[in-house]
Amino acid sequence: MTSSTGVLPGLLDTDAIRKDFPILDREVNGRKLAFLDSAASSQRPRQVIDAMSQYYERHHANVHRGVHTLAEEATALYEGARDKIAAFINAPREEVIFTKNVSESINLVANLLGTADEPYRVGPDDEIVITEMEHHSNIVPWQLLAQRTGATLKWFRLDDEGHLDLSDIESVITDKAKIVAFSVASNVLGTRPPLEQIIRRAHDVGALTLLDAAQLAPHAPLDVQALGADFVGFTGHKMLGPTGIGILWGRQELLQDLPPFLGGGEMIETVTMEQSTFAPVPYKYEAGTPPIAEAIGLGAAVDYLQSIGMERIAEHEHALTAYALERLKEVEDLRLIGPTTAEERGAVLSFTLGDIHPHDVGQVLDEQGVAVRVGHHCARPVCLRYGIPATTRASFYLYSTPAEVDALVDGLQTVRRFFA
Amino acid sequence: MTSSTGVLPGLLDTDAIRKDFPILDREVNGRKLAFLDSAASSQRPRQVIDAMSQYYERHHANVHRGVHTLAEEATALYEGARDKIAAFINAPREEVIFTKNVSESINLVANLLGTADEPYRVGPDDEIVITEMEHHSNIVPWQLLAQRTGATLKWFRLDDEGHLDLSDIESVITDKAKIVAFSVASNVLGTRPPLEQIIRRAHDVGALTLLDAAQLAPHAPLDVQALGADFVGFTGHKMLGPTGIGILWGRQELLQDLPPFLGGGEMIETVTMEQSTFAPVPYKYEAGTPPIAEAIGLGAAVDYLQSIGMERIAEHEHALTAYALERLKEVEDLRLIGPTTAEERGAVLSFTLGDIHPHDVGQVLDEQGVAVRVGHHCARPVCLRYGIPATTRASFYLYSTPAEVDALVDGLQTVRRFFA
Amino acid sequence: MKLDSMYQDVILDHYRNPHGKGLRDGDAEVHHVNPTCGDEITLRVRLGGADGQTIEDVSYASQGCSISQASASVLNDLVVGHTVAEALATGDVFLELMQSRGHELDRSDEELEEILDDGIAFAGVAKYPARVKCALLSWMALKDAASQAVQKEQERKSA
Amino acid sequence: MKLDSMYQDVILDHYRNPHGKGLRDGDAEVHHVNPTCGDEITLRVRLGGADGQTIEDVSYASQGCSISQASASVLNDLVVGHTVAEALATGDVFLELMQSRGHELDRSDEELEEILDDGIAFAGVAKYPARVKCALLSWMALKDAASQAVQKEQERKSA
Ligand SMILES: Cc1ncc(COP(=O)(O)O)c(C=O)c1O
Ligand SMILES: Cc1ncc(COP(=O)(O)O)c(C=O)c1O
C-alpha cells in the first residue's frame, strides 16, 4: 500500500468540512499545507470566526451588570454559550466555569486545595498523585502545591509500551491521597488510561479526582456525569474554539464548599472595605470581565462539533490513525513511541526517525508543506522515560485526510534522503 | 445652551472614527444607539476585529514550540503584539505579561506577595494599603491576601468631593506597608489621584506599588517608566481590544526575584517529575497556551489608538466631559458624584436623579437608545461612602459625540417625566 | 412605548405606595442581595394560626428599583393571611411568569389573574432578563424566611 | 530548495563530524537548555596562557538538532586558542548575524567571513526564528562558562 486511493471506511466527508476552514487552503513554501498539528492547537471553521466577529460588530457590551439592550444581548449570548458547553459535556450549567485555558483550570483546583478547609485541604502529611504521562500543565501546578504545603507528590509510571503501569495502584493511591489528577488522553503517546479503575481507587480512599481532558474533549463524546470524577478540565483552542478560553467543570457541592481563587468584579455577592461575600458558582470562580467573545466562539465550536457528531469524529480519526500506523511502517528507522494499535490510542502519533533530530525532521517536512510538532510537547518526563530527547508528532482532527498522511510519509522519505 | 450645534474645541473627527466601529451604527428600540458605557467595556474598530479574523484564517497555530511555518508566523504575530504594547507604555518587552484581564493581573501580584521570599513576602505583621475608591478587582484580592497571611488591610478614605483624603498619608502608609495598590483613575468618580505623592511615600517606607490603570490606559498617555511604580495593570476590552486579555507590567528585576504563579506549559525551563525550573520573564508568568488572537487584537487596538494619538484622545474626552458637566446642570434633581470640573476627572460621570432608582433611569434611557451603566459599578464602597445605593454612569471615549451627550440629557428629562 | 408594558400603572402605584413596608416583629429574618445591581431587602415573616402555619405578617425594609419595590408590595398582598404552603405555591407561579420571557404559559390568563392578582402586571418585566431578578428578590427572601420560620416552629414544638 | 540555505554543506559536515566534542577537564562547567525544544549542552572552558586569559579548550556534551550541534563545533574552531575577550567579540558578531533575519548587515561579507569563517554558513538559519536559538545555545553557554572561569581565575589570584 503506498497511497490512499481507496476510501477508508469511517471517514467523514472532509471535502465538505474543509470548505469551512479557510486556513486549510493555504500554501506553505509553495506546497499545499498538510496541517498535522491539531493536538497543539486546532484550526477554526468560518462559523466560529464569524460568531465572534458578529458579536463584536452587533452585540458587544460588558455582561451581567447592564440594563441596556447591548448588555442584555451580550449577557444572553455569553450565558447561552455556557448552556451549550454544559449540554456538550452533560452537566448542569452551574458547574461550567470559564477559565483562560486548561492550565488555569488545573491551577485553580490546585490552589483551592492549598487554601481550602478540611477535609479538602492538602497538608504536609497528604499525598498528591499524578502520572509520568502528564502534560507540564498537569505536573507543575501539583509540584508547586506540594512545595507550598509540604505534601508529597507521587506518580504512576509508564511501561515500555506507553501504558500506565497500574500494577502498584494500591501503593500509589493510598489513604493519604487527597487528589489524583491525570490525563484521559496523552498528548504525546495517544494513550487513553483506564479511567474507571483509577477513579474507583481514588474514591475508595476518599481522594478527589481531576481529569485533564484537553486531548479528549475535542475528539470523542465526553459525559462528565458518567465519568464520575470531581473535576474535568479542557481547553477551547484545541476543539475549534478561540484562544483565551478554557473550561473547568466541577461538582457543584464541592465548588460551593471550596474557597474562592481570584478575587474581583463578577465573583462577589457584596463588598465592604472590611470584607466580602461571594457569588454562587460558577460566578464565584469568574473574577473580572470574562472572555465573552471567546465563550461565544467556543459555543459556536461546540455547535459545529455536534452538527458533525462526536461519535463520527472519533470514528474518522480512528480510521485515519489505523491508516497512518500502517503507512508509517514503510518508513525505515521510524520508531513509534506509545501503543502500536489504533484501538489503544488517540489520533496522535509520536515517533523518532533514526538519529535525525526531530527539529531537523520538522524543518524538512515544513519545506514540503507538512506541519508537524517537534520537541518534548510539554511532556518532558515522557521523553526522559523513553530515553529520547524529543519526538516528531503528527496529529489528526476531523478535517484531516488520508492524502495528508500520504504527504507525511512522502515527506519523511525526503527527510531520510536529505540527512542520509 | 440646549444643544451642540457649535463644534467644541478639541474634538476629534468622530464622523471619520465612527465609520470604523460597525456597532455604533446600530439602532436600539427603534432609536439610534448612543453608547455611553465605554468605561464598562469599549467597542472595537473593524481593524481590531479583522486582525483577529485574519489571524485565524491565515496564520493560526500554537506559538513558540513549532518549527513549521504557521507556528513561526503565529509566534511572530504574538510576540510582535507584545512589542507594540511595550512601546505603547514605554517598557522593555520582557516586562509585559499577558493575563486574561486586569483582575488577573492584580491577583497575580497579590498571590506572589503571599508566597514570595523576604523582603517581598507579606506576613502577619505587615500592612497592605488600598483606597476606598477601588474597583472590587483591586479590593478583593487584597482582602484574600490579608486573610491568608494575617496581614492588615488599610485604606485611604474619600472626602466629600470625591478626592482621596491624603491628609493622614503618613499614618496610612507606615513602614509596615509591603504594598500600596490604587487606581490611577476611578471608574465611578472619574477621580485621578496624585500619583507621585503616594508612590513617593510608598517607596520611602520600602513598600511596593501597584497601579490599576484600567481606566487610564485607554484614555491618556501611559509611560510606566516615568510613573516609577513597580507594577501597572490594565485590561484589553476597555481600550478597543478584545475580551480575554489583560496586561501586567512589572519591573524585570522584581519579576525575576518573585516566585511563579500559575504552573504549566510555556512557563518552564525544564521539567522532571521531581522538580522544575522556570523560564525567564515574561514567560515565567504565562502558563499554558496564551491568548494569542487576543494579544494580536490588542496590538491592533494599540496601533489604532496611536494612529489617533493618546494626547488627542485625552483632549477630545476632556472637551466632551466639560460639555456634559455643563449640560447635566440643566437636569433638575441631578446630583453628580465626584469632582465637579473636567480638569479633575476622567470622562466618567456618575450621578443620581432625585429618588428615581438608577435601574429605572437606565431602563427608560435604553428605551430611547441611550446606553448607560447603572448600579455600584463594582465599587460598592464608593456608594456606601456617599450613602447611595447605586448610580447612573455615562462614560465617553474617542468615538463619543456632543450629540450623544444631548441624547443623554433629553433622555434624562424623559425619565423625570416618566416617574413624576 | 414598549416601556409601558414593564412599567404598568399597577406597578408604579405599588412602587409609590408600597403595602406593608417597614420592619415589624417576626419569627425569622433574612437579608437578600442582588449582586448584579446591589438591590437589598431585609424581610421578616411572622407565623400564627391554629397550626402555626399561617403567615400573619410579612414586613420588610428594602432598597431597590421600582420593580423590586413593587414586587415586595404585591407579595405582601398575596401571602399575608395564607398558609406557608399556599404562599410558596403562589411564589412558584410568579416565578413561572417571570421566567416566561414573554412567551405563552400553560395556564390561562384568567387562572393567572386568579392566583397572582396585581402580580400579573409583572408579565411585561419578564421580557427584560436583567430586571427579572429585581422582581424575584423579595420572593426569594420570602421562601428563605418562611422555611426558617417553619423550622423554628417545628423545633419549638418538638422541644 | 529553500532549505539548502539553512542546511549548507558546511553545517551538515560539522554536524556529522563535530570538532572538539566530548567532555574534558575545564575550569568552569555550565549546563544550558533551550526550553523551546529541549536542546541541552554541558560545556566546559579551560583557561591558560601567560595571563590565564586564553581559552585552551572548550569541551562539551550536547543533545540537539543539526544546527545546534554544528554551531558548537564551529564555536570550538573559532575560540580555542584565543583570549576570552576575542572569543566573546566573535560571539557578538555571530549573534549579530543570527539576529539579522536574513537582512543586510553593516559589515561586508568579507569582514564576516574573516571573523566567523565556517560560521557564516549560519546566515541562512537567521531566516528561521525558531532555529536561531538552536544556533545560539552553545554560544550562550560559552559566554556563561568563560565569565565563570575568569572570575575563578581572579579569585585565585587575589587569594
Ligand atoms: C478601575 C478598574 N479596575 C479594574 C477593573 C476590572 O477590569 P477587568 O474586569 O477587565 O478585569 C475595571 C473594570 O471593570 C476598572 O474600571
Ligand atoms: C494533555 C494536555 N493537557 C494540558 C494542555 C494545556 O492546554 P493549554 O495550553 O490550553 O492550557 C495540553 C495542550 O497543550 C494538553 O495536550
Side-chain angles (χ1 to χ4, degrees):
Chain A
M1 175 158 61
T2 53
S3 86
S4 62
T5 34
V7 175
L8 303 174
L11 288 192
L12 291 167
D13 178 0
T14 46
D15 285 349
I17 290 174
R18 291 173 72 91
K19 290 210 178 78
D20 292 329
F21 291 78
I23 204 171
L24 296 181
D25 254 357
R26 254 199 72 161
E27 295 207 338
V28 155
N29 295 321
R31 307 284 284 269
K32 199 164 160 29
L33 170 68
F35 183 75
L36 300 179
D37 191 23
S38 290
S41 194
S42 73
Q43 299 299 346
R44 291 101 190 79
R46 192 168 289 292
Q47 289 83 339
V48 169
I49 301 172
D50 288 353
M52 291 189 286
S53 297
Q54 273 166 30
Y55 167 70
Y56 283 133
E57 284 170 16
R58 307 296 298 160
H59 309 292
H60 173 70
N62 213 330
V63 292
H64 293 146
R65 255 172 315 272
V67 290
H68 63 74
T69 301
L70 292 181
E72 294 218 349
E73 290 175 1
T75 304
L77 286 165
Y78 174 67
E79 293 299 336
R82 196 191 306 275
D83 290 332
K84 288 178 186 182
I85 292 151
F88 183 69
I89 60 171
N90 189 27
R93 54 174 279 111
E94 292 74 21
E95 301 190 340
V96 173
I97 298 167
F98 288 119
T99 60
K100 67 178 178 179
N101 52 30
V102 69
S103 302
E104 188 190 16
S105 304
I106 298 169
N107 277 278
L108 198 168
V109 175
N111 271 275
L112 296 191
L113 300 186
T115 56
D117 293 329
E118 289 300 339
Y120 306 116
R121 187 185 203 103
V122 170
D125 295 329
D126 297 324
E127 293 177 351
I128 300 163
V129 180
I130 60 175
T131 90
E132 203 175 7
M133 184 181 83
E134 300 309 310
H135 187 279
H136 293 163
S137 292
N138 202 24
I139 298 177
V140 183
W142 306 113
Q143 289 180 337
L144 293 174
L145 177 64
Q147 267 167 35
R148 285 172 193 158
T149 59
T152 304
L153 185 69
K154 295 168 76 175
W155 54 89
F156 287 104
R157 298 192 177 278
L158 282 163
D159 69 17
D160 290 343
E161 281 75 44
H163 296 292
L164 286 183
D165 175 2
L166 299 179
S167 60
D168 52 354
I169 188 166
E170 316 222 319
S171 62
V172 175
I173 305 180
T174 70
D175 53 17
K176 291 187 168 177
K178 276 279 166 89
I179 173 94
V180 179
F182 63 101
S183 164
V184 297
S186 154
N187 69 318
V188 183
L189 303 169
T191 309
R192 299 199 170 164
L195 309 186
E196 278 175 38
Q197 186 186 354
I198 304 176
I199 295 175
R200 197 176 336 110
R201 172 67 189 166
H203 285 178
D204 280 353
V205 301
L208 295 173
T209 48
L210 175 144
L211 307 187
D212 174 357
Q215 296 289 347
L216 186 77
H219 303 290
L222 176 60
D223 178 335
V224 294
Q225 317 231 31
L227 286 177
D230 299 294
F231 303 103
V232 175
F234 51 100
T235 203
H237 67 94
K238 292 192 205 279
M239 51 194 288
L240 311 186
T243 53
I245 190 155
I247 299 290
L248 174 65
W249 168 85
R251 285 194 298 107
Q252 195 171 352
E253 322 83 73
L254 197 55
L255 293 172
Q256 239 134 23
D257 277 5
L258 289 166
F261 175 44
L262 305 182
E266 293 279 327
M267 56 73 77
I268 55 92
E269 182 185 60
T270 179
V271 173
T272 65
M273 292 307 289
E274 288 78 13
Q275 68 170 28
S276 304
T277 56
F278 305 111
V281 289
Y283 305 107
K284 175 174 156 191
Y285 293 109
E286 295 184 353
T289 301
I292 309 171
E294 291 72 15
I296 292 167
L298 184 55
V302 157
D303 282 346
Y304 190 91
L305 290 171
Q306 285 184 319
S307 76
I308 310 268
M310 295 309 295
E311 292 284 6
R312 289 287 295 112
I313 292 171
E315 265 176 63
H316 173 80
E317 294 180 11
H318 183 76
L320 266 187
T321 304
Y323 177 67
L325 285 170
E326 267 311 300
R327 291 238 44 208
L328 287 177
K329 286 186 190 152
E330 295 167 30
V331 183
E332 233 177 292
D333 293 334
L334 187 144
R335 172 182 163 209
L336 187 79
I337 312 294
T340 48
T341 69
E343 282 61 41
E344 304 166 282
R345 57 153 65 239
V348 170
L349 301 176
S350 286
F351 53 83
T352 58
L353 189 62
D355 58 4
I356 309 174
H357 193 278
H359 256 200
D360 294 316
V361 175
Q363 194 82 56
V364 177
L365 286 177
D366 181 59
E367 193 66 20
Q368 298 163 82
V370 179
V372 295
R373 186 116 317 210
V374 300
H376 50 50
H377 317 295
C378 291
R380 190 166 170 274
V382 173
C383 290
L384 293 179
R385 167 64 181 83
Y386 294 107
I388 47 180
T391 75
T392 302
R393 180 186 75 184
S395 54
F396 311 128
Y397 205 3
L398 74 170
Y399 41 62
S400 306
T401 66
E404 290 177 318
V405 174
D406 297 339
L408 170 67
V409 172
D410 291 347
L412 290 171
Q413 302 291 14
T414 307
V415 173
R416 292 195 63 244
R417 280 194 299 275
F418 192 87
F419 290 101
Chain B
M1 172 158 62
T2 52
S3 86
S4 62
T5 36
V7 175
L8 303 174
L11 287 191
L12 292 167
D13 178 1
T14 46
D15 284 349
I17 290 175
R18 291 173 71 90
K19 290 211 179 77
D20 292 330
F21 291 78
I23 205 172
L24 297 180
D25 254 356
R26 253 199 72 161
E27 296 207 340
V28 154
N29 294 321
R31 309 283 285 270
K32 198 164 161 29
L33 169 67
F35 182 74
L36 300 179
D37 192 22
S38 290
S41 195
S42 73
Q43 297 300 345
R44 289 104 191 78
R46 189 167 291 293
Q47 288 84 337
V48 168
I49 302 172
D50 287 353
M52 291 189 286
S53 299
Q54 272 166 30
Y55 167 70
Y56 282 133
E57 283 169 17
R58 306 298 297 160
H59 309 292
H60 173 69
N62 213 332
V63 292
H64 293 145
R65 256 173 312 272
V67 290
H68 64 75
T69 302
L70 291 182
E72 294 219 348
E73 290 175 359
T75 304
L77 286 165
Y78 174 66
E79 292 299 337
R82 195 191 306 274
D83 289 332
K84 289 179 187 183
I85 292 151
F88 183 69
I89 60 171
N90 189 29
R93 54 173 280 113
E94 292 75 21
E95 301 190 340
V96 173
I97 298 167
F98 288 119
T99 60
K100 66 178 178 178
N101 52 30
V102 68
S103 302
E104 187 189 15
S105 304
I106 298 169
N107 278 279
L108 199 167
V109 175
N111 271 274
L112 296 191
L113 300 186
T115 55
D117 292 330
E118 288 301 341
Y120 306 117
R121 187 185 200 102
V122 169
D125 296 329
D126 297 323
E127 293 176 352
I128 301 163
V129 179
I130 59 174
T131 90
E132 204 176 6
M133 185 181 82
E134 301 310 309
H135 187 279
H136 293 162
S137 291
N138 202 24
I139 298 176
V140 184
W142 306 112
Q143 289 179 337
L144 293 174
L145 177 64
Q147 269 167 35
R148 285 173 193 159
T149 59
T152 304
L153 185 69
K154 294 167 76 177
W155 54 89
F156 287 104
R157 296 191 180 279
L158 283 163
D159 68 18
D160 290 344
E161 282 73 45
H163 296 293
L164 285 183
D165 175 3
L166 299 179
S167 59
D168 53 354
I169 188 167
E170 315 221 321
S171 62
V172 175
I173 305 180
T174 71
D175 53 17
K176 291 188 167 174
K178 276 280 166 87
I179 174 92
V180 179
F182 62 101
S183 164
V184 297
S186 154
N187 68 318
V188 183
L189 304 168
T191 308
R192 299 198 171 165
L195 307 187
E196 279 177 37
Q197 186 185 353
I198 306 177
I199 294 176
R200 197 176 336 110
R201 172 66 190 166
H203 285 179
D204 281 353
V205 301
L208 296 173
T209 49
L210 175 144
L211 307 187
D212 174 358
Q215 296 290 347
L216 187 77
H219 304 290
L222 176 61
D223 178 334
V224 293
Q225 316 232 28
L227 285 176
D230 299 294
F231 303 103
V232 176
F234 51 99
T235 202
H237 66 95
K238 292 191 205 280
M239 50 193 289
L240 311 187
T243 53
I245 189 153
I247 299 290
L248 174 65
W249 168 84
R251 285 194 297 110
Q252 195 172 351
E253 321 84 72
L254 197 56
L255 293 172
Q256 240 134 25
D257 277 4
L258 290 167
F261 174 43
L262 304 183
E266 293 281 327
M267 58 73 76
I268 55 93
E269 183 186 61
T270 180
V271 173
T272 64
M273 291 309 287
E274 289 79 12
Q275 68 170 29
S276 304
T277 55
F278 305 110
V281 288
Y283 306 107
K284 175 174 155 192
Y285 293 109
E286 295 185 352
T289 301
I292 309 171
E294 290 73 16
I296 293 167
L298 185 55
V302 157
D303 283 345
Y304 189 92
L305 289 171
Q306 285 184 319
S307 76
I308 310 268
M310 295 310 294
E311 292 284 3
R312 290 286 295 111
I313 292 170
E315 265 178 64
H316 173 81
E317 295 180 11
H318 183 77
L320 266 187
T321 304
Y323 177 67
L325 285 170
E326 269 311 300
R327 290 238 44 209
L328 287 177
K329 286 185 188 152
E330 295 167 30
V331 183
E332 235 177 289
D333 294 335
L334 186 144
R335 174 184 161 207
L336 188 79
I337 312 294
T340 48
T341 70
E343 282 61 41
E344 304 166 282
R345 57 151 67 239
V348 170
L349 302 175
S350 286
F351 53 83
T352 58
L353 189 63
D355 58 2
I356 308 173
H357 193 279
H359 255 202
D360 293 315
V361 175
Q363 194 82 57
V364 177
L365 285 176
D366 181 58
E367 192 67 19
Q368 298 163 83
V370 179
V372 294
R373 186 116 318 209
V374 299
H376 49 50
H377 317 296
C378 291
R380 191 165 170 273
V382 174
C383 289
L384 293 178
R385 166 65 180 81
Y386 295 107
I388 47 180
T391 75
T392 301
R393 181 185 73 185
S395 54
F396 311 128
Y397 206 4
L398 74 170
Y399 40 64
S400 305
T401 66
E404 290 177 318
V405 174
D406 297 340
L408 170 67
V409 172
D410 291 347
L412 290 171
Q413 303 291 13
T414 307
V415 172
R416 293 194 63 245
R417 281 194 299 277
F418 193 86
F419 291 101
Chain C
M1 181 147 111
K2 183 175 151 226
L3 263 194
D4 295 333
S5 82
M6 164 150 56
Y7 293 115
Q8 301 212 4
D9 285 342
V10 188
I11 292 185
L12 293 178
D13 285 348
H14 274 280
Y15 164 52
R16 293 192 183 106
N17 302 298
H19 303 177
K21 189 160 180 163
L23 281 176
R24 295 172 293 278
D25 273 359
D27 299 317
E29 173 181 310
V30 299
H31 179 77
H32 275 220
V33 174
N34 178 348
T36 317
C37 58
D39 281 3
E40 298 188 23
I41 191 168
T42 302
L43 182 144
R44 291 185 191 155
V45 163
R46 185 158 54 79
L47 297 183
D51 54 357
Q53 290 292 312
T54 301
I55 297 177
E56 295 207 322
D57 190 26
V58 174
S59 64
Y60 60 96
S62 65
Q63 175 183 287
C65 64
S66 57
I67 304 299
S68 73
Q69 303 290 345
S71 162
S73 170
V74 169
L75 175 150
N76 189 279
D77 283 1
L78 287 174
V79 307
V80 171
H82 292 265
T83 66
V84 169
E86 285 164 352
L88 296 184
T90 306
D92 285 346
V93 175
F94 187 74
L95 180 67
E96 244 177 62
L97 177 69
M98 295 316 298
Q99 292 180 339
S100 67
R101 295 188 139 253
H103 297 307
E104 288 277 310
L105 289 180
D106 284 346
R107 298 172 202 273
S108 68
D109 286 358
E110 294 74 41
E111 198 186 341
L112 273 181
E113 173 140 26
E114 174 75 37
I115 301 171
L116 296 181
D117 199 7
D118 279 2
I120 57 161
F122 287 83
V125 176
K127 284 179 229 151
Y128 297 83
R131 305 308 293 277
V132 166
K133 286 189 186 162
C134 308
L136 289 176
L137 182 67
S138 53
W139 288 93
M140 295 298 174
L142 173 74
K143 202 167 168 177
D144 191 2
S147 89
Q148 288 186 25
V150 166
Q151 209 174 321
K152 277 194 197 158
E153 172 74 15
Q154 279 168 348
E155 279 163 18
R156 210 175 41 78
K157 270 194 192 151
S158 61
Chain D
M1 183 146 109
K2 181 173 151 229
L3 263 194
D4 294 333
S5 82
M6 165 150 57
Y7 292 116
Q8 301 212 5
D9 284 342
V10 189
I11 292 185
L12 293 178
D13 285 348
H14 275 280
Y15 164 53
R16 292 192 183 106
N17 302 298
H19 303 177
K21 190 161 180 163
L23 281 176
R24 296 172 293 277
D25 272 357
D27 299 317
E29 172 181 309
V30 299
H31 179 76
H32 276 221
V33 173
N34 178 348
T36 318
C37 57
D39 282 3
E40 297 188 26
I41 191 167
T42 302
L43 182 144
R44 291 184 191 157
V45 163
R46 186 157 54 80
L47 297 183
D51 54 358
Q53 291 292 312
T54 302
I55 297 178
E56 295 208 322
D57 189 26
V58 174
S59 64
Y60 59 96
S62 64
Q63 173 182 291
C65 63
S66 57
I67 304 298
S68 74
Q69 303 290 346
S71 163
S73 169
V74 169
L75 176 149
N76 190 279
D77 284 359
L78 288 175
V79 308
V80 172
H82 292 265
T83 66
V84 169
E86 286 164 351
L88 296 185
T90 307
D92 285 345
V93 175
F94 187 73
L95 180 66
E96 247 176 63
L97 178 69
M98 295 316 298
Q99 292 180 337
S100 67
R101 294 189 139 252
H103 299 308
E104 287 279 309
L105 289 180
D106 284 347
R107 299 174 202 274
S108 69
D109 286 359
E110 294 73 44
E111 198 186 341
L112 273 181
E113 173 139 25
E114 175 74 39
I115 301 171
L116 296 181
D117 200 7
D118 279 2
I120 56 160
F122 287 82
V125 177
K127 286 179 229 150
Y128 296 83
R131 306 306 293 276
V132 166
K133 286 188 188 163
C134 309
L136 290 176
L137 182 66
S138 54
W139 288 93
M140 295 299 173
L142 173 72
K143 202 168 168 176
D144 190 3
S147 89
Q148 288 187 23
V150 167
Q151 208 174 323
K152 276 196 199 157
E153 173 73 13
Q154 278 166 346
E155 279 163 17
R156 208 175 41 81
K157 271 191 191 154
S158 62

